[in-house]
Amino acid sequence: MTPDAPAPRRRGRPPRTAEATGPGARTRILEAARTEFAEHGYDRTSMRGIARAAGVDAALVHHYFGTKDEVFAAAIEVSFEPALVIPAVLGGAADGLGERLARYFIAVWENPATRAPLLAILRSALTHETAAELLRGFVLRRLLERIAAELDVPDPTFRAELAASHLVGIAILRYVIRAEPLASADPERIIEMVAPTLQRYLTAP
Amino acid sequence: MTPDAPAPRRRGRPPRTAEATGPGARTRILEAARTEFAEHGYDRTSMRGIARAAGVDAALVHHYFGTKDEVFAAAIEVSFEPALVIPAVLGGAADGLGERLARYFIAVWENPATRAPLLAILRSALTHETAAELLRGFVLRRLLERIAAELDVPDPTFRAELAASHLVGIAILRYVIRAEPLASADPERIIEMVAPTLQRYLTAP
């Protein structure tokens, strides 16, 4: 992930400079795609809108990614990179696993830069079957299997998904719907309450 | 935007029969509204689309409900009625609370008739701020406070919302995104795993 500075917007068709077509363009397109999907959801995001936000020609977006589905898949893959380094979370002492996972998850969602793409994925997957399918098959399964591989419990993938479901629900109530009192709760209090739940799912026999 | 769903359609303005204006019309409009919001989300649901699906004149929808926000609020209120009888779940022995709640929640979501409106609310709230606000202020707070009033723990509303967050997350992964293995898991297994979590949130000191 290369967090770029917010791309300057141009009116009309951008000039075919090195900036608009060079190697940075692909990264800028992905950044723009994440923002567009986050703000507008899957349905209302267009290739043209992404191109405009990235300051490139729409043809370049098609050149790099082909279809909207493919931009979406690439954007969610990049967005999940922090999640896919999760073995670092899994790698410590077993009895601290629940807390480390809760803390890691809350940190990712408290940070607007990492929250935005996850929000984009969630919103899109909830309202568009293609996006749900991409999330389901492509990312979620890989992520859950990676976690499951580290667990020493019966049905580790089911256990990992139960833990994930709690975290997804917290993200939705706290960051998306912003329902009180969870929305304003101290992150440490959430971690304290949720850690034992995750710990049980991931390590209890 | 008026998406064309395959619904029993009439061409042109429906006839002003008793069926189209009588006392059953309000109920039919709410039913239609729930279906429309569920299928198309808040943004892409129109008063006209609701009227068409209910087989009534659009003016009648305006007459009963005024604005789209008001139809939505009425539709979610009706949809949450099963949730608002939750004191029955809360009313038994304290040590079975987690299991009763998990069982009740899964039953509501396993039944397509009660799932559809909840799905409508969730989808709409995740993609449209007005819908999120209605859910947050109108339903969720009332529901959480009603549960909290029955609990004998510190911060009962926070505890109730943590329990709710887990259930919302399960609903999303199992019924919306349909991510395996949770999507195909035996309901009894989910209840068995989740009940102790809810029990702890709702009753542990």
Side-chain angles (χ1 to χ4, degrees), chain A residues 45-90:
Chain A
T45 294
S46 66
M47 295 290 263
R48 206 160 40 179
I50 294 169
R52 204 182 301 124
V56 301
D57 198 285
L60 198 68
V61 183
H62 286 283
H63 168 74
Y64 277 124
F65 298 102
T67 65
K68 187 165 95 170
D69 278 8
E70 288 169 277
V71 193
F72 184 77
I76 68 180
E77 183 161 32
V78 168
S79 309
F80 262 83
E81 264 165 24
L84 293 171
V85 297
I86 221 164
V89 171
L90 294 167

Short mmCIF file of all heavy atoms in Angstrom, two decimals, chain A residues 45-90:
data_model
loop_
_atom_site.label_atom_id
_atom_site.label_comp_id
_atom_site.label_asym_id
_atom_site.label_seq_id
_atom_site.Cartn_x
_atom_site.Cartn_y
_atom_site.Cartn_z
N THR A 45 -20.38 3.52 -8.15
CA THR A 45 -19.01 3.87 -8.52
C THR A 45 -18.80 3.47 -9.98
O THR A 45 -19.15 2.37 -10.38
CB THR A 45 -18.00 3.14 -7.62
OG1 THR A 45 -18.14 3.65 -6.29
CG2 THR A 45 -16.58 3.37 -8.08
N SER A 46 -18.26 4.41 -10.74
CA SER A 46 -18.03 4.12 -12.16
C SER A 46 -16.55 4.19 -12.47
O SER A 46 -15.77 4.83 -11.76
CB SER A 46 -18.77 5.13 -13.03
OG SER A 46 -18.20 6.42 -12.85
N MET A 47 -16.17 3.51 -13.56
CA MET A 47 -14.79 3.58 -14.03
C MET A 47 -14.40 5.03 -14.31
O MET A 47 -13.28 5.45 -14.03
CB MET A 47 -14.63 2.74 -15.30
CG MET A 47 -14.86 1.25 -15.10
SD MET A 47 -13.55 0.47 -14.13
CE MET A 47 -12.52 -0.20 -15.45
N ARG A 48 -15.36 5.78 -14.87
CA ARG A 48 -15.08 7.17 -15.20
C ARG A 48 -14.85 8.00 -13.93
O ARG A 48 -13.97 8.85 -13.88
CB ARG A 48 -16.24 7.74 -16.01
CG ARG A 48 -15.84 8.86 -16.90
CD ARG A 48 -16.85 9.05 -18.00
NE ARG A 48 -18.21 8.88 -17.44
CZ ARG A 48 -19.31 9.00 -18.15
NH1 ARG A 48 -19.24 9.25 -19.44
NH2 ARG A 48 -20.49 8.83 -17.59
N GLY A 49 -15.68 7.70 -12.90
CA GLY A 49 -15.52 8.41 -11.63
C GLY A 49 -14.16 8.14 -11.00
O GLY A 49 -13.51 9.04 -10.46
N ILE A 50 -13.74 6.88 -11.08
CA ILE A 50 -12.43 6.51 -10.54
C ILE A 50 -11.32 7.23 -11.29
O ILE A 50 -10.41 7.79 -10.70
CB ILE A 50 -12.24 4.97 -10.60
CG1 ILE A 50 -13.23 4.27 -9.65
CG2 ILE A 50 -10.80 4.59 -10.25
CD1 ILE A 50 -13.30 2.76 -9.83
N ALA A 51 -11.45 7.22 -12.61
CA ALA A 51 -10.44 7.89 -13.45
C ALA A 51 -10.35 9.37 -13.10
O ALA A 51 -9.25 9.92 -12.91
CB ALA A 51 -10.78 7.71 -14.93
N ARG A 52 -11.50 9.99 -12.94
CA ARG A 52 -11.54 11.42 -12.63
C ARG A 52 -10.85 11.68 -11.29
O ARG A 52 -10.01 12.55 -11.16
CB ARG A 52 -12.99 11.90 -12.59
CG ARG A 52 -13.14 13.38 -12.86
CD ARG A 52 -14.60 13.80 -12.76
NE ARG A 52 -15.47 13.10 -13.67
CZ ARG A 52 -16.56 12.40 -13.31
NH1 ARG A 52 -16.90 12.30 -12.03
NH2 ARG A 52 -17.29 11.80 -14.21
N ALA A 53 -11.21 10.86 -10.29
CA ALA A 53 -10.63 11.07 -8.95
C ALA A 53 -9.13 10.81 -8.95
O ALA A 53 -8.39 11.41 -8.17
CB ALA A 53 -11.32 10.16 -7.94
N ALA A 54 -8.67 9.93 -9.83
CA ALA A 54 -7.24 9.63 -9.90
C ALA A 54 -6.48 10.60 -10.79
O ALA A 54 -5.26 10.59 -10.84
CB ALA A 54 -7.03 8.19 -10.39
N GLY A 55 -7.23 11.44 -11.51
CA GLY A 55 -6.59 12.38 -12.43
C GLY A 55 -5.98 11.70 -13.64
O GLY A 55 -4.95 12.13 -14.15
N VAL A 56 -6.61 10.62 -14.08
CA VAL A 56 -6.11 9.94 -15.28
C VAL A 56 -7.24 9.76 -16.27
O VAL A 56 -8.41 9.97 -15.94
CB VAL A 56 -5.51 8.54 -14.96
CG1 VAL A 56 -4.37 8.65 -13.96
CG2 VAL A 56 -6.59 7.59 -14.45
N ASP A 57 -6.89 9.35 -17.45
CA ASP A 57 -7.88 9.07 -18.47
C ASP A 57 -8.59 7.74 -18.14
O ASP A 57 -7.95 6.80 -17.67
CB ASP A 57 -7.16 8.96 -19.80
CG ASP A 57 -8.12 9.11 -20.95
OD1 ASP A 57 -8.87 8.14 -21.23
OD2 ASP A 57 -8.13 10.20 -21.55
N ALA A 58 -9.90 7.70 -18.42
CA ALA A 58 -10.66 6.48 -18.12
C ALA A 58 -10.06 5.28 -18.86
O ALA A 58 -10.08 4.15 -18.35
CB ALA A 58 -12.12 6.66 -18.50
N ALA A 59 -9.51 5.53 -20.06
CA ALA A 59 -8.93 4.42 -20.83
C ALA A 59 -7.78 3.75 -20.07
O ALA A 59 -7.56 2.54 -20.19
CB ALA A 59 -8.42 4.94 -22.18
N LEU A 60 -7.09 4.56 -19.27
CA LEU A 60 -5.97 4.01 -18.51
C LEU A 60 -6.47 3.07 -17.41
O LEU A 60 -5.84 2.03 -17.12
CB LEU A 60 -5.16 5.15 -17.89
CG LEU A 60 -3.74 4.77 -17.44
CD1 LEU A 60 -2.86 4.45 -18.63
CD2 LEU A 60 -3.12 5.89 -16.60
N VAL A 61 -7.62 3.41 -16.83
CA VAL A 61 -8.20 2.53 -15.81
C VAL A 61 -8.58 1.19 -16.46
O VAL A 61 -8.29 0.12 -15.93
CB VAL A 61 -9.44 3.18 -15.14
CG1 VAL A 61 -9.99 2.28 -14.05
CG2 VAL A 61 -9.07 4.55 -14.57
N HIS A 62 -9.19 1.28 -17.64
CA HIS A 62 -9.52 0.05 -18.37
C HIS A 62 -8.26 -0.73 -18.75
O HIS A 62 -8.21 -1.95 -18.66
CB HIS A 62 -10.33 0.37 -19.63
CG HIS A 62 -11.75 0.75 -19.32
ND1 HIS A 62 -12.70 -0.18 -18.99
CD2 HIS A 62 -12.37 1.96 -19.27
CE1 HIS A 62 -13.86 0.44 -18.76
NE2 HIS A 62 -13.68 1.73 -18.92
N HIS A 63 -7.23 0.00 -19.14
CA HIS A 63 -5.98 -0.64 -19.53
C HIS A 63 -5.39 -1.44 -18.37
O HIS A 63 -4.98 -2.59 -18.53
CB HIS A 63 -4.99 0.44 -20.00
CG HIS A 63 -3.59 -0.07 -20.14
ND1 HIS A 63 -3.20 -0.88 -21.18
CD2 HIS A 63 -2.49 0.12 -19.35
CE1 HIS A 63 -1.92 -1.19 -21.03
NE2 HIS A 63 -1.46 -0.59 -19.93
N TYR A 64 -5.39 -0.84 -17.18
CA TYR A 64 -4.79 -1.52 -16.04
C TYR A 64 -5.69 -2.63 -15.49
O TYR A 64 -5.20 -3.65 -15.03
CB TYR A 64 -4.49 -0.54 -14.91
CG TYR A 64 -3.18 0.20 -15.06
CD1 TYR A 64 -3.14 1.60 -15.06
CD2 TYR A 64 -1.99 -0.49 -15.19
CE1 TYR A 64 -1.95 2.27 -15.19
CE2 TYR A 64 -0.79 0.17 -15.33
CZ TYR A 64 -0.77 1.56 -15.33
OH TYR A 64 0.42 2.22 -15.46
N PHE A 65 -7.00 -2.40 -15.50
CA PHE A 65 -7.85 -3.30 -14.73
C PHE A 65 -8.97 -3.98 -15.51
O PHE A 65 -9.61 -4.89 -14.97
CB PHE A 65 -8.46 -2.55 -13.53
CG PHE A 65 -7.43 -2.06 -12.57
CD1 PHE A 65 -7.04 -0.73 -12.56
CD2 PHE A 65 -6.81 -2.95 -11.71
CE1 PHE A 65 -6.07 -0.28 -11.70
CE2 PHE A 65 -5.85 -2.51 -10.83
CZ PHE A 65 -5.47 -1.18 -10.82
N GLY A 66 -9.23 -3.56 -16.71
CA GLY A 66 -10.27 -4.24 -17.49
C GLY A 66 -11.67 -3.82 -17.10
O GLY A 66 -12.29 -3.01 -17.78
N THR A 67 -12.18 -4.38 -15.99
CA THR A 67 -13.57 -4.10 -15.63
C THR A 67 -13.65 -3.53 -14.22
O THR A 67 -12.68 -3.57 -13.46
CB THR A 67 -14.39 -5.40 -15.63
OG1 THR A 67 -13.87 -6.25 -14.58
CG2 THR A 67 -14.27 -6.12 -16.95
N LYS A 68 -14.83 -3.05 -13.88
CA LYS A 68 -15.06 -2.52 -12.54
C LYS A 68 -14.83 -3.59 -11.48
O LYS A 68 -14.24 -3.33 -10.43
CB LYS A 68 -16.48 -1.95 -12.44
CG LYS A 68 -16.74 -1.23 -11.13
CD LYS A 68 -17.99 -0.37 -11.19
CE LYS A 68 -19.19 -1.10 -10.66
NZ LYS A 68 -20.37 -0.21 -10.49
N ASP A 69 -15.30 -4.82 -11.76
CA ASP A 69 -15.05 -5.93 -10.82
C ASP A 69 -13.56 -6.09 -10.54
O ASP A 69 -13.15 -6.37 -9.41
CB ASP A 69 -15.53 -7.26 -11.43
CG ASP A 69 -17.01 -7.45 -11.23
OD1 ASP A 69 -17.67 -6.49 -10.76
OD2 ASP A 69 -17.50 -8.52 -11.57
N GLU A 70 -12.77 -5.96 -11.58
CA GLU A 70 -11.33 -6.17 -11.40
C GLU A 70 -10.68 -5.03 -10.62
O GLU A 70 -9.78 -5.29 -9.81
CB GLU A 70 -10.66 -6.39 -12.75
CG GLU A 70 -11.02 -7.76 -13.31
CD GLU A 70 -10.60 -7.95 -14.77
OE1 GLU A 70 -11.34 -7.51 -15.67
OE2 GLU A 70 -9.53 -8.52 -15.00
N VAL A 71 -11.15 -3.80 -10.84
CA VAL A 71 -10.62 -2.70 -10.01
C VAL A 71 -11.01 -2.97 -8.56
O VAL A 71 -10.21 -2.80 -7.65
CB VAL A 71 -11.23 -1.32 -10.36
CG1 VAL A 71 -10.42 -0.23 -9.68
CG2 VAL A 71 -11.27 -1.08 -11.84
N PHE A 72 -12.25 -3.40 -8.37
CA PHE A 72 -12.74 -3.65 -7.01
C PHE A 72 -11.90 -4.73 -6.33
O PHE A 72 -11.44 -4.57 -5.20
CB PHE A 72 -14.21 -4.04 -7.04
CG PHE A 72 -14.81 -4.21 -5.66
CD1 PHE A 72 -15.16 -3.10 -4.90
CD2 PHE A 72 -15.03 -5.46 -5.13
CE1 PHE A 72 -15.70 -3.24 -3.62
CE2 PHE A 72 -15.56 -5.62 -3.85
CZ PHE A 72 -15.90 -4.50 -3.09
N ALA A 73 -11.68 -5.82 -7.04
CA ALA A 73 -10.89 -6.91 -6.48
C ALA A 73 -9.49 -6.44 -6.10
O ALA A 73 -8.99 -6.75 -5.02
CB ALA A 73 -10.82 -8.08 -7.46
N ALA A 74 -8.87 -5.66 -7.00
CA ALA A 74 -7.52 -5.17 -6.71
C ALA A 74 -7.54 -4.21 -5.52
O ALA A 74 -6.66 -4.26 -4.65
CB ALA A 74 -6.95 -4.46 -7.95
N ALA A 75 -8.58 -3.38 -5.45
CA ALA A 75 -8.67 -2.41 -4.35
C ALA A 75 -8.86 -3.13 -3.02
O ALA A 75 -8.25 -2.76 -2.02
CB ALA A 75 -9.81 -1.42 -4.60
N ILE A 76 -9.70 -4.18 -3.00
CA ILE A 76 -9.88 -4.86 -1.73
C ILE A 76 -8.66 -5.69 -1.36
O ILE A 76 -8.33 -5.82 -0.21
CB ILE A 76 -11.19 -5.71 -1.63
CG1 ILE A 76 -11.21 -6.92 -2.52
CG2 ILE A 76 -12.40 -4.86 -1.86
CD1 ILE A 76 -12.50 -7.74 -2.40
N GLU A 77 -7.97 -6.19 -2.35
CA GLU A 77 -6.77 -6.95 -2.03
C GLU A 77 -5.75 -6.05 -1.32
O GLU A 77 -5.20 -6.40 -0.28
CB GLU A 77 -6.15 -7.56 -3.28
CG GLU A 77 -4.94 -8.41 -2.93
CD GLU A 77 -4.56 -9.39 -4.02
OE1 GLU A 77 -4.78 -9.05 -5.21
OE2 GLU A 77 -4.06 -10.48 -3.70
N VAL A 78 -5.54 -4.88 -1.89
CA VAL A 78 -4.62 -3.92 -1.28
C VAL A 78 -5.11 -3.53 0.11
O VAL A 78 -4.34 -3.45 1.06
CB VAL A 78 -4.50 -2.67 -2.18
CG1 VAL A 78 -3.79 -1.55 -1.44
CG2 VAL A 78 -3.76 -3.02 -3.46
N SER A 79 -6.43 -3.36 0.23
CA SER A 79 -6.99 -2.92 1.52
C SER A 79 -6.83 -3.95 2.60
O SER A 79 -6.77 -3.63 3.77
CB SER A 79 -8.48 -2.62 1.37
OG SER A 79 -8.69 -1.75 0.29
N PHE A 80 -6.82 -5.20 2.18
CA PHE A 80 -6.74 -6.26 3.17
C PHE A 80 -5.30 -6.59 3.53
O PHE A 80 -5.08 -7.45 4.37
CB PHE A 80 -7.48 -7.51 2.69
CG PHE A 80 -8.85 -7.61 3.25
CD1 PHE A 80 -9.91 -6.93 2.67
CD2 PHE A 80 -9.10 -8.34 4.40
CE1 PHE A 80 -11.19 -7.01 3.20
CE2 PHE A 80 -10.36 -8.42 4.94
CZ PHE A 80 -11.42 -7.75 4.33
N GLU A 81 -4.35 -5.94 2.89
CA GLU A 81 -2.96 -6.26 3.22
C GLU A 81 -2.67 -6.18 4.72
O GLU A 81 -2.07 -7.09 5.27
CB GLU A 81 -1.99 -5.41 2.41
CG GLU A 81 -1.54 -6.18 1.18
CD GLU A 81 -0.88 -5.29 0.15
OE1 GLU A 81 -0.37 -4.22 0.52
OE2 GLU A 81 -0.89 -5.67 -1.03
N PRO A 82 -3.15 -5.11 5.38
CA PRO A 82 -2.90 -5.11 6.84
C PRO A 82 -3.52 -6.33 7.52
O PRO A 82 -2.93 -6.90 8.44
CB PRO A 82 -3.57 -3.82 7.33
CG PRO A 82 -4.14 -3.14 6.15
CD PRO A 82 -3.79 -3.89 4.92
N ALA A 83 -4.67 -6.76 7.04
CA ALA A 83 -5.32 -7.92 7.67
C ALA A 83 -4.53 -9.19 7.40
O ALA A 83 -4.50 -10.10 8.22
CB ALA A 83 -6.74 -8.05 7.16
N LEU A 84 -3.90 -9.23 6.24
CA LEU A 84 -3.20 -10.45 5.87
C LEU A 84 -1.85 -10.60 6.56
O LEU A 84 -1.22 -11.65 6.48
CB LEU A 84 -3.06 -10.55 4.34
CG LEU A 84 -4.40 -10.74 3.61
CD1 LEU A 84 -4.21 -10.60 2.10
CD2 LEU A 84 -5.04 -12.08 3.92
N VAL A 85 -1.39 -9.57 7.25
CA VAL A 85 -0.18 -9.73 8.05
C VAL A 85 -0.54 -10.22 9.44
O VAL A 85 0.27 -10.17 10.36
CB VAL A 85 0.66 -8.43 8.17
CG1 VAL A 85 1.14 -8.00 6.79
CG2 VAL A 85 -0.10 -7.32 8.86
N ILE A 86 -1.77 -10.68 9.57
CA ILE A 86 -2.28 -11.09 10.87
C ILE A 86 -1.45 -12.19 11.56
O ILE A 86 -1.47 -12.27 12.79
CB ILE A 86 -3.77 -11.49 10.74
CG1 ILE A 86 -4.54 -10.95 11.94
CG2 ILE A 86 -3.96 -12.96 10.53
CD1 ILE A 86 -6.03 -10.93 11.75
N PRO A 87 -0.69 -13.01 10.85
CA PRO A 87 0.14 -13.97 11.56
C PRO A 87 1.01 -13.34 12.63
O PRO A 87 1.31 -13.96 13.65
CB PRO A 87 0.98 -14.60 10.45
CG PRO A 87 0.06 -14.59 9.28
CD PRO A 87 -0.70 -13.28 9.41
N ALA A 88 1.38 -12.04 12.44
CA ALA A 88 2.14 -11.35 13.49
C ALA A 88 1.32 -11.29 14.78
O ALA A 88 1.85 -11.44 15.88
CB ALA A 88 2.50 -9.93 13.03
N VAL A 89 0.01 -11.05 14.61
CA VAL A 89 -0.88 -11.03 15.77
C VAL A 89 -0.97 -12.43 16.38
O VAL A 89 -1.00 -12.60 17.59
CB VAL A 89 -2.29 -10.55 15.35
CG1 VAL A 89 -3.28 -10.74 16.48
CG2 VAL A 89 -2.24 -9.11 14.88
N LEU A 90 -1.01 -13.42 15.50
CA LEU A 90 -1.19 -14.79 15.96
C LEU A 90 0.08 -15.36 16.57
O LEU A 90 0.05 -16.36 17.27
CB LEU A 90 -1.63 -15.68 14.79
CG LEU A 90 -3.02 -15.36 14.21
CD1 LEU A 90 -3.20 -16.06 12.87
CD2 LEU A 90 -4.12 -15.77 15.19
#
